[in-house]
Amino acid sequence: MSKEIELGITVGGVYLTVSGTYHPEEPKIYYDSNLEGYPGSYAEFELESVQVDGTEIIDIISDAIFDEIIDKVLENQKD
């Protein structure tokens, strides 16, 4: 079940408040009662907001920072 989350993370020594929608991993099902399966899916995070001290910066962050934020959020959700 998807859920909206907001958390603080540090990237490159800068504290960021990030929010978005987290979609948990779905397990692979080889066969169900209809003899059909489901390939499963990886956990995903749809990043919607990145703030520094209340200022929105999502439009000016690099692709590398964007990806690092998503990786950190997904790692945090495993705990």
Side-chain angles (χ1 to χ4, degrees):
M1 177 182 294
S2 299
K3 64 179 179 178
E4 296 292 319
I5 61 172
E6 178 176 303
L7 65 133
I9 60 171
T10 301
V11 175
V14 178
Y15 183 80
L16 306 171
T17 302
V18 300
S19 62
T21 305
Y22 172 71
H23 305 277
E25 180 178 4
E26 296 179 356
K28 180 185 292 188
I29 300 172
Y30 290 102
Y31 295 102
D32 59 16
S33 60
N34 295 327
L35 296 178
E36 297 176 355
Y38 175 69
S41 66
Y42 295 106
E44 295 180 342
F45 180 65
E46 295 176 45
L47 185 59
E48 298 166 3
S49 174
V50 179
Q51 296 184 4
V52 174
D53 293 328
T55 301
E56 182 63 52
I57 63 166
I58 195 167
D59 292 332
I60 62 171
I61 60 174
S62 69
D63 289 343
I65 297 297
F66 191 94
D67 292 341
E68 185 175 347
I69 291 169
I70 291 173
D71 289 344
K72 287 188 175 211
V73 170
L74 291 174
E75 185 64 35
N76 178 276
Q77 295 304 303
K78 289 181 183 178
D79 298 341

